[in-house]
C-alpha cells in the first residue's frame, strides 16, 4: 500500500531497468519509491524483459511497462516521449555496461535511452555489472561522459558478484538510489526514509561502500583542510562561520578510496571524518597555520596534493579575554585580518623547491563567493594555486552545510569548468580526476609512503611552476 507522506510524495518517476542480473532488485526499488509516495512508471530494455518479464512491474506500478522503443500509448503518444515529458526524474537501475555506452553516445535503441535523450529532467544512474567490466576504461569513459551530462551516478558497491567473484559492480544499495533520487529532486536525503530497510543489499558507510575502480592516488599523500576555524573572543565565544566540513571530508573520502594516504586538518565541523584519515585538529587559523607549516619544512613539502576546503576565518579578535566577558556595557570587538594560509603555504612550497629542489605538489583552493564568481580568477593567481574551486554559497543547495554543491573549477591553464549541482562526493571525485591528470603530467615520486621527517631533498626533477612564478629550475639558490 502506498504511504500518503514520504520524501517523494506525488513525484512522478520513470524507473528504467536494463538487462543485468540485478534487474530483479528493480521490483523492490519500485516498492521503495512507492513507499516514499512516488508515482512510478517502468521502462525496460528487451534484455531486462528476458530477466524479469513485465507482469510483476505492471501489476505493482499499475501502469503498462514500455519495453519497445516504437510502441504507442493508448492516447496515441510515443511511449518514451510521453515518459520523457510526464515524469520529474528518470532513474536507471540497474544500468548495464552496454546501456552506459549507448547513452554516452546518444544511441536511442531502447525506450530508456530514448526517454533520457528527450527529457530535461534529472537522471539518476546506478550501474551494475561484472567488476572487470566496470573498471574497463571504456566503461569508465562512458560513466564520465554521463557525469558531464549532469547525470547523478550512484556508484556500484564492492562485493560478491553474480559470477561468484568479488569486485566493484554490485548494484548500489537501494536506499542509496532512493536517497540520490530524493536529492536530485531537491529533497533532503538525510530526512528519515519511510522504509529504511532493503532486503537486497547493505552498505555500512559511504566510505566503506565505495571502492573506485582506479586506485590512481596509491602511494600519494593528500592533505585536506576542512571545517571552519573558530577565533576566540573569550573562553565561551568565538568568531566563526557555518562550515560543516562536508566538502573537505568528501575530498578526503574520495582520496582515501583512490588509495591515497590522507591527512585531514580539521577545524570546527558537524560531521564525522572518514575513519582512515590522519586527523590533525586545528581550531583556529593560527593552529591551522602551524599544521600547514609542519608539512612544508624548508627541505620540501611533505605531500603531493593540498586541498584547502576549510573556511578559514578572515578576521579574528585582536585580543582574547582569558575570562568570560560580561554583557553589561555591551561589547566592541576589534578584529584583525588572519594570515592567508594558502598563499603562505604556496610561498613556502616555492621557497623550499628553489633551495632544495624536488617536485612541486598540486595546490588547490576553494573560494566562497556570493552573487558572482568574478573574483575567482584573481584569487587563483594571488594564491598561487593550480585549481580554485569556486562556489556561490548564496545559491540554494550550494556551499555551507549542504550535501550538494555547485562549483566552477578555475585552473591556470584551461577555461573555467561549470559543473552542475552535484553531491559533494561527486564534486570531490571530479576535482580529484583533474588533480590526478595534473599529477600524472608532472610525474615524480610520491610522498605517500615517506615517513614524516624523511622526505629526501631533490628526489625528483623540479616540477613546473605556476604561471607568473619562476620555474623551479631557474630559481635562485
Ligand atoms: O564545510 P561545508 O559546510 O561543506 O562548506 C564547504 C565550503 C563552503 C566551506 C567550501 O566549499 C569552501 O568554499 N571553502 C573555502 C571557504 C573560504 O574560506 O573561501 P575564501 O574565498 O575566503 O578563501 C579562499 C581560499 O583561501 C580557501 O581555500 C581558504 O581555505 C583559503 N584561506 C582563506 C582565508 C585565510 N585567511 N587563509 C586561507 O588559506
Amino acid at each position: 500500500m502506498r504511504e500518503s507522506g514520504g520524501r517523494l510524495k506525488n513525484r512522478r518517476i520513470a524507473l528504467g531497468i536494463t538487462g543485468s542480473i540485478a534487474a530483479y532488485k528493480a521490483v523492490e526499488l519500485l516498492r521503495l519509491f512507492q513507499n516514499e509516495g512516488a508515482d512510478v512508471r517502468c521502462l525496460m530494455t528487451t534484455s531486462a524483459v528476458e530477466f524479469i518479464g513485465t507482469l510483476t512491474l505492471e501489476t505493482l506500478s499499475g501502469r503498462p511497462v514500455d519495453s519497445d522503443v516504437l510502441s504507442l500509448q493508448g492516447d496515441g503518444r510515443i511511449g518514451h516521449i510521453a515518459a520523457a515529458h510526464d515524469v520529474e526524474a528518470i532513474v536507471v537501475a540497474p544500468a548495464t555496461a552496454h546501456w552506459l555506452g549507448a547513452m554516452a553516445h546518444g544511441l536511442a535503441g531502447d525506450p530508456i535511452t530514448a526517454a533520457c535523450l528527450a527529457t530535461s529532467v534529472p537522471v539518476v544512474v546506478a550501474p551494475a555489472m561484472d567488476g572487470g567490466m566496470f573498471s574497463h576504461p571504456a566503461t569508465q569513459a562512458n560513466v564520465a561522459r554521463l557525469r558531464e551530462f549532469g547525470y547523478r551516478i550512484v556508484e556500484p558497491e564492492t562485493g560478491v558478484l553474480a559470477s561468484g567473484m568479488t569486485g566493484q559492480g554490485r548494484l548500489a544499495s537501494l536506499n542509496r538510489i532512493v536517497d540520490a533520487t530524493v536529492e536530485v529532486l531537491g529533497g533532503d536525503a538525510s530526512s528519515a526514509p519511510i522504509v529504511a530497510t532493503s532486503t537486497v543489499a547493505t552498505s555500512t558507510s559511504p566510505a566503506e561502500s565505495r571502492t573506485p575502480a582506479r586506485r590512481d592516488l596509491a602511494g600519494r599523500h593528500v592533505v585536506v583542510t576542512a571545517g571552519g576555524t573558530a577565533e576566540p573572543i573569550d573562553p565561551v565565544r568565538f568568531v566563526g562561520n557555518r562550515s560543516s566540513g562536508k566538502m573537505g571530508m568528501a575530498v578526503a573520502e574520495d582520496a582515501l578510496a583512490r588509495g591515497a594516504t590522507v591527512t585531514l586538518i580539521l577545524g570546527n565541523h558537524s560531521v564525522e571524518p572518514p575513519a582512515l584519515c590522519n586527523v590533525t585538529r586545528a581550531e583556529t587559523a593560527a593552529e591551522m597555520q602551524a599544521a600547514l607549516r609542519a608539512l612544508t619544512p624548508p627541505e620540501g613539502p611533505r605531500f603531493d596534493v593540498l586541498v584547502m576546503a576549510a573556511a578559514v576565518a578572515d578576521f579574528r579578535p585582536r585580543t582574547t579575554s582569558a575570562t568570560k566577558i560580561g554583557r553589561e556595557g555591551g561589547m566592541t570587538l576589534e578584529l584583525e585580518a588572519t594570515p592567508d594560509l594558502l598563499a603562505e603555504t604556496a610561498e613556502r612550497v616555492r621557497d623550499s623547491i628553489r633551495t632544495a629542489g624536488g617536485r612541486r605538489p598540486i595546490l588547490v583552493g576553494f573560494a566562497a563567493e556570493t552573487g558572482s564568481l568574478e573574483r575567482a580568477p584573481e584569487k587563483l593567481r594571488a594564491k598561487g594555486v593550480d585549481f580554485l574551486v569556486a562556489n556561490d554559497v548564496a545559491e540554494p543547495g550550494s556551499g555551507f552545510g549542504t550535501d550538494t554543491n555547485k562549483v566552477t573549477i578555475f585552473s591556470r591553464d584551461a577555461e573555467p569548468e561549470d559543473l552542475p549541482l552535484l553531491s559533494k562526493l561527486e564534486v570531490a571525485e571530479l576535482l580529484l580526476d583533474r588533480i590526478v591528470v595534473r599529477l600524472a603530467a608532472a610525474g615524480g615520486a610520491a610522498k605517500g609512503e615517506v615517513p614524516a621527517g624523511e622526505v629526501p631533498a631533490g628526489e625528483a626533477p623540479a616540477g613546473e611552476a605556476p604561471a607568473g612564478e619562476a620555474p623551479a629550475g631557474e630559481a635562485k639558490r
Side-chain angles (χ1 to χ4, degrees), residues 225 227 242-248 308-314 338-343 364-369 379 383 388-389 391 393 399-402 405 424:
T225 67
R242 294 183 294 112
S243 173
S244 62
K246 287 180 184 176
M247 188 62 250
M308 284 281 292
V312 182
D314 287 314
T338 53
D340 187 328
L341 308 187
L342 185 51
V364 182
F366 271 71
E369 303 292 340
K379 279 193 184 175
K383 291 181 186 270
L388 190 83
V389 184
N391 36 202
V393 296
F400 292 100
T402 53
N405 210 358
K424 284 185 172 165

Side-chain angles (χ1 to χ4, degrees), residues 402-424:
T402 53
D403 290 326
T404 51
N405 210 358
K406 183 168 184 329
V407 307
T408 300
I409 302 181
F410 291 83
S411 77
R412 55 194 175 82
D413 52 12
E415 287 298 305
E417 267 189 280
D418 286 324
L419 301 185
L421 186 69
L422 297 169
S423 72
K424 284 185 172 165

Side-chain angles (χ1 to χ4, degrees), residues 257-455:
R258 290 166 179 255
T261 300
V262 178
T263 297
L264 188 62
I265 303 178
L266 188 54
N268 266 7
H269 58 283
S270 56
V271 289
E272 282 312 299
L276 297 174
C277 288
N278 306 311
V279 178
T280 302
R281 284 306 315 274
E283 287 224 353
T284 61
E287 287 171 12
M288 202 166 272
Q289 182 178 40
L292 287 166
R293 284 184 175 177
L295 288 161
T296 49
E299 316 84 87
R302 299 195 194 285
F303 51 83
D304 301 284
V305 178
L306 169 66
V307 180
M308 284 281 292
V312 182
D314 287 314
F315 299 99
R316 63 186 168 202
R318 193 174 288 283
T319 56
T320 301
S321 170
T323 53
K324 184 181 172 190
I325 301 170
R327 60 196 298 276
E328 314 75 36
M331 181 194 289
T332 303
L333 268 185
E334 197 183 340
L335 302 177
E336 64 178 10
T338 53
D340 187 328
L341 308 187
L342 185 51
E344 177 188 288
T345 304
E347 186 60 38
R348 287 171 67 84
V349 165
R350 282 198 297 275
D351 284 349
S352 68
I353 290 172
R354 280 184 197 120
T355 52
R359 190 167 293 277
R360 201 176 58 76
I362 308 298
L363 303 177
V364 182
F366 271 71
E369 303 292 340
T370 52
S372 144
L373 303 183
E374 66 188 7
R375 297 192 309 171
E378 172 53 20
K379 279 193 184 175
L380 172 83
R381 197 202 59 73
K383 291 181 186 270
V385 292
D386 298 84
F387 296 103
L388 190 83
V389 184
N391 36 202
D392 184 338
V393 296
E395 284 264 316
S398 205
F400 292 100
T402 53
D403 290 326
T404 51
N405 210 358
K406 183 168 184 329
V407 307
T408 300
I409 302 181
F410 291 83
S411 77
R412 55 194 175 82
D413 52 12
E415 287 298 305
E417 267 189 280
D418 286 324
L419 301 185
L421 186 69
L422 297 169
S423 72
K424 284 185 172 165
L425 191 55
E426 287 170 324
V427 170
E429 287 169 3
L430 292 172
L431 175 62
L432 284 166
D433 283 348
R434 281 143 190 79
I435 290 171
V436 164
V437 169
R438 187 66 64 99
L439 269 175
K447 306 268 168 53
E449 308 299 338
V450 181
E454 291 178 23
V455 180

Side-chain angles (χ1 to χ4, degrees), residues 11-273:
R11 306 313 292 259
R12 300 181 308 280
I13 292 173
L15 174 59
I17 305 155
T18 74
S20 153
I21 183 70
Y24 75 93
K25 298 179 182 176
V27 177
E28 180 154 358
L29 184 57
L30 166 64
R31 298 296 286 201
L32 289 178
F33 280 137
Q34 290 179 325
N35 288 336
E36 292 284 358
D39 182 5
V40 186
R41 62 193 294 167
C42 296
L43 310 173
M44 297 176 81
T45 61
T46 45
S47 45
V49 174
E50 297 264 330
F51 276 103
I52 57 170
T54 59
L55 185 58
T56 310
L57 294 164
E58 286 181 333
T59 309
L60 292 175
S61 69
R63 293 170 171 278
V65 168
D66 186 357
S67 60
D68 176 359
V69 75
L70 300 177
S71 72
L72 294 179
Q73 291 191 156
D75 61 5
R77 293 190 297 164
I78 295 179
H80 60 265
I81 300 293
H85 293 159
D86 291 351
V87 301
E88 294 166 271
I90 299 179
V91 179
V92 187
T96 58
H98 177 85
W99 186 85
L100 294 171
M103 192 65 237
H105 293 89
L107 303 177
D110 65 84
I112 310 170
T113 40
C116 289
L117 285 177
T119 198
S120 57
V121 303
V123 178
V124 175
V125 177
M129 65 198 73
D130 165 71
M133 289 170 77
F134 186 67
S135 65
H136 193 282
T139 309
Q140 288 300 310
N142 291 333
V143 170
R145 185 85 182 113
L146 265 52
R147 280 202 170 97
E148 286 170 13
F149 298 162
Y151 291 6
R152 172 71 180 272
I153 307 295
V154 187
E155 292 261 354
E157 296 177 0
T158 300
V160 179
L161 303 168
S163 59
M165 294 190 297
T166 299
Q168 188 192 11
R170 199 169 66 178
L171 185 68
S173 87
L174 302 184
N175 289 330
R176 281 179 60 212
I177 300 170
V178 174
D179 286 350
T181 310
V182 171
E183 275 182 9
V184 299
L185 285 169
D188 178 6
S190 63
S191 58
I194 291 290
V195 174
T197 55
S198 160
T199 55
V200 179
T202 57
S203 164
T204 44
S205 82
E208 285 160 357
S209 66
R210 284 188 68 257
T211 306
R214 307 172 307 281
R215 288 179 63 81
D216 46 17
L217 287 174
R220 301 287 189 175
H221 183 195
V222 176
V223 175
V224 182
T225 67
T229 66
E231 311 297 332
I233 298 168
D234 66 15
V236 296
R237 306 181 182 96
F238 60 85
V239 173
N241 57 67
R242 294 183 294 112
S243 173
S244 62
K246 287 180 184 176
M247 188 62 250
M249 287 185 205
V251 175
E253 182 181 328
D254 192 52
L256 278 172
R258 290 166 179 255
T261 300
V262 178
T263 297
L264 188 62
I265 303 178
L266 188 54
N268 266 7
H269 58 283
S270 56
V271 289
E272 282 312 299

